Amino acid sequence: MTAPILEVSRLKKHFAVTRGLAREKVFVRAVDGVDFSVDCGETLGLVGESGCGKTTVGRLILRLIDPTEGTIRFDDKELTALDRQALQPLRRFFQIIFQDPYASLNPRMTVSEIVGRPMEIHGLIHHTDRDEKVAELLATVGLRREQLGRYPHEFSGGQRQRIGIARALATQPKLVVADEPTSALDVSVQAQILNLMKDLQRRFGLTYLFISHNIGVIRHISDRVAVMYLGKVVEMAAKRTLFAKPAHPYTQALLAAVPSLDPRQRKEDVILEGDVPSPVNPPSGCRFHTRCRFAMPRCREEEPAFQRLADDRWVACHLY
């Protein structure tokens, strides 16, 4: 069995904010106790509604922000125990692909500078070798050598995301956090980028944490899927297991909302009532009980444990 390259345990991030005329200080519980692991070479899809904490989890793993509590173990190293100086040599091994290919590239830098700068910072190349190494990376992601001296505004959205992928690969990482990397692209371009990422994973042995709210994208690229709701992971399972028979009522509602192209396929209507509760004051007990059709008195009082079931699925629900 492949050893996990990433292990996240009891991870929390609470943001302090002030509200009202009295400037009352409250905390937004963006991530509130998350546990999962990612095996070397696999893709874990992290899915959920907007505002559930997916992107914050990615930023915590990359140590772009510091956690309130919990541990992040990457390649047998505890990242939360390291200061900025100790983290610096490790940063080349975990990289990110951003959601917006327009905003994530410096408009004043050429492609050669954008992709080559990370290699120079980590001492992987000499400045005189930059163009040659960047040209090799561009060819890997489907771009041409003659585009080295161009600026981001001279490219289409799909091409810019290819530049972002090349930049992420520049330091020869082991883990790549892909934060909604296709959501700003046309559907046809999305498929090209997803297929490119799968090809690069096979070629370089990459591990992906793929963050998305798009169930179809998650189904296409993931090996396992973790479902988040209001700062917590409520279900995690192999892709086939989760899509064939979702266990958690929230997962059932997410999958029921995906339209089918087969008119013969009938789905049970699962309608979620009400709005997502505020992460400032989440419900007691199970956080989903205010919208769950199976809610019991126990759900309002006792928070369900994140437990492993017989089919190697993890779920946080009192029904199990």
Side-chain angles (χ1 to χ4, degrees), residues 19 35 41-42 53 57 83 98 106 110 123 140 155 165 253 278 290:
R19 66 179 181 182
D35 298 88
E42 82 161 341
V57 168
D83 58 22
F98 292 97
N106 190 328
T110 64
T140 301
F155 295 90
I165 293 172
S278 170
T290 58

Side-chain angles (χ1 to χ4, degrees), residues 159-179:
Q159 288 174 322
R160 291 187 198 191
Q161 197 59 291
R162 290 174 187 267
I163 296 169
I165 293 172
R167 178 178 58 186
L169 295 180
T171 59
Q172 301 166 15
K174 297 179 180 180
L175 171 71
V176 175
V177 175
D179 184 13

Side-chain angles (χ1 to χ4, degrees), residues 285-310:
C286 174
R287 297 190 172 190
F288 188 61
H289 84 258
T290 58
R291 306 173 74 192
C292 181
R293 54 183 176 155
F294 302 114
M296 305 174 286
R298 180 185 181 189
C299 301
R300 299 177 178 88
E301 301 170 0
E302 181 183 342
E303 183 175 344
F306 193 52
Q307 59 186 337
R308 192 172 189 171
L309 303 185

Side-chain angles (χ1 to χ4, degrees), residues 11-305:
L11 190 62
K12 295 183 180 182
K13 181 60 181 179
H14 299 169
F15 294 98
V17 296
T18 56
R19 66 179 181 182
L21 294 175
R23 308 297 290 172
E24 177 190 8
K25 186 177 182 180
V26 296
F27 289 91
V28 176
R29 301 180 184 184
V31 177
D32 203 24
V34 165
D35 298 88
F36 64 81
S37 63
V38 187
D39 292 339
C40 188
E42 82 161 341
T43 299
L44 177 68
L46 192 58
V47 67
E49 292 172 285
S50 296
C52 70
K54 307 184 300 294
T55 293
T56 304
V57 168
R59 294 174 66 195
L60 288 168
I61 289 169
L62 296 168
R63 281 297 306 273
L64 298 177
I65 55 176
D66 294 325
T68 304
E69 289 181 28
T71 60
I72 305 165
R73 193 165 188 84
F74 170 74
D75 207 15
D76 288 330
K77 298 177 180 65
E78 178 49 59
L79 298 186
T80 53
L82 303 178
D83 58 22
R84 180 174 296 184
Q85 186 175 358
L87 269 173
Q88 182 61 25
L90 292 176
R91 287 196 180 277
R92 60 165 288 202
F93 297 111
F94 46 89
Q95 293 292 315
I96 184 170
I97 301 171
F98 292 97
Q99 175 178 355
D100 190 347
Y102 297 90
S104 61
L105 302 179
N106 190 328
R108 295 181 176 87
M109 295 173 67
T110 64
V111 172
S112 178
E113 292 170 330
I114 290 170
V115 179
R117 187 66 59 84
M119 292 188 280
E120 293 176 356
I121 290 173
H122 289 282
L124 301 178
I125 60 169
H126 190 271
H127 179 74
T128 55
D129 301 325
R130 186 178 69 190
D131 282 357
E132 191 63 36
K133 293 294 183 181
V134 172
E136 293 176 9
L137 271 175
L138 291 186
T140 301
V141 299
L143 297 175
R144 303 187 305 275
R145 183 187 185 93
E146 54 264 31
Q147 295 171 317
L148 279 172
R150 295 184 184 178
Y151 291 87
H153 72 270
E154 300 179 74
F155 295 90
S156 67
Q159 288 174 322
R160 291 187 198 191
Q161 197 59 291
R162 290 174 187 267
I163 296 169
I165 293 172
R167 178 178 58 186
L169 295 180
T171 59
Q172 301 166 15
K174 297 179 180 180
L175 171 71
V176 175
V177 175
D179 184 13
E180 302 265 13
T182 61
S183 63
L185 306 176
D186 294 336
V187 174
S188 60
V189 180
Q190 285 185 22
Q192 296 172 18
I193 295 298
L194 291 174
N195 291 333
L196 171 64
M197 290 182 65
K198 293 182 77 170
D199 179 62
L200 293 172
Q201 184 177 40
R202 289 189 293 266
R203 185 170 176 180
F204 298 110
L206 298 172
T207 302
Y208 290 142
L209 175 64
F210 197 99
I211 299 168
S212 180
H213 65 273
N214 189 321
I215 293 289
V217 168
I218 288 291
R219 187 171 193 166
H220 178 74
I221 199 168
S222 301
D223 299 307
R224 287 188 302 133
V225 180
V227 180
M228 280 194 73
Y229 181 79
L230 206 62
K232 288 184 175 289
V233 175
V234 297
E235 184 170 0
M236 182 169 62
K239 177 176 65 176
R240 288 180 178 272
T241 303
L242 187 132
F243 280 92
K245 191 176 181 182
H248 196 280
Y250 177 64
T251 311
Q252 295 171 6
L254 280 184
L255 299 188
V258 179
S260 174
L261 297 178
D262 186 353
R264 296 168 297 179
Q265 183 179 3
R266 293 188 177 182
K267 290 185 177 182
E268 180 185 4
D269 289 333
V270 181
I271 300 175
L272 292 182
E273 297 182 355
D275 297 323
V276 180
S278 170
V280 173
N281 186 26
S284 59
C286 174
R287 297 190 172 190
F288 188 61
H289 84 258
T290 58
R291 306 173 74 192
C292 181
R293 54 183 176 155
F294 302 114
M296 305 174 286
R298 180 185 181 189
C299 301
R300 299 177 178 88
E301 301 170 0
E302 181 183 342
E303 183 175 344

